[in-house]
Amino acid sequence: MDKTDARRKQIADIIAALPDTDGTGVVEHLFEPLRIELTSLISEEGFRSVFERSVFLAGLKFAWLSVEQPLSGALPLDDLKTKLAQQESAEARQASTVLLLTISDLMASLIGELLTIDILRSAWGKDALGSLDEEFQP
């Protein structure tokens, strides 16, 4: 398994391990810490750009994700939380997984796999992705 597949599997496993709720737990436990981390690196506007692009791409599979754009000034994660809460739990979890994988894939395409893993660990805790970066050291 290459490093991209390993990262994607770890993220899917993290989401699967979260308590089964109305879908908003994923926002609180994973999206919000990632937003805080990315905002410190690329600004709120930078995060919004990455997030909106990822919502567009994930919306190709889950059309309800991109039906309405948030009001100007509204926080994108508040809009996501509302949309997830309106879905069945399994659908919300699948959409959250696709969206989070899309965000991490976009990050990896821009800054590389190892830096993406470092940012995700910084957001979610150092043990969040197992030993991914150690497995791929030159």
Side-chain angles (χ1 to χ4, degrees), residues 24-109:
T24 60
V26 176
V27 175
E28 294 168 12
H29 295 287
L30 299 177
F31 283 100
E32 183 59 25
L34 183 57
R35 182 199 66 78
I36 291 167
E37 188 64 29
L38 287 177
T39 298
S40 72
L41 297 169
I42 61 173
S43 80
E44 189 68 43
E45 293 80 20
F47 170 77
R48 188 178 294 265
S49 294
V50 169
F51 184 79
E52 288 175 358
R53 176 65 180 157
S54 298
V55 166
F56 171 79
L57 294 171
L60 298 174
K61 182 169 182 168
F62 299 95
W64 53 267
L65 269 176
S66 57
V67 169
E68 300 173 8
Q69 294 299 319
L71 298 172
S72 179
L75 296 174
L77 294 183
D78 290 341
D79 184 56
L80 175 62
K81 198 183 269 193
T82 300
K83 289 177 180 180
L84 290 173
Q86 294 170 348
Q87 305 304 313
E88 295 292 327
S89 180
E91 176 86 357
R93 189 175 292 266
Q94 288 177 330
S96 296
T97 302
V98 168
L99 183 55
L100 203 49
L101 291 174
T102 304
I103 290 170
S104 69
D105 288 347
L106 183 56
M107 290 169 53
S109 73

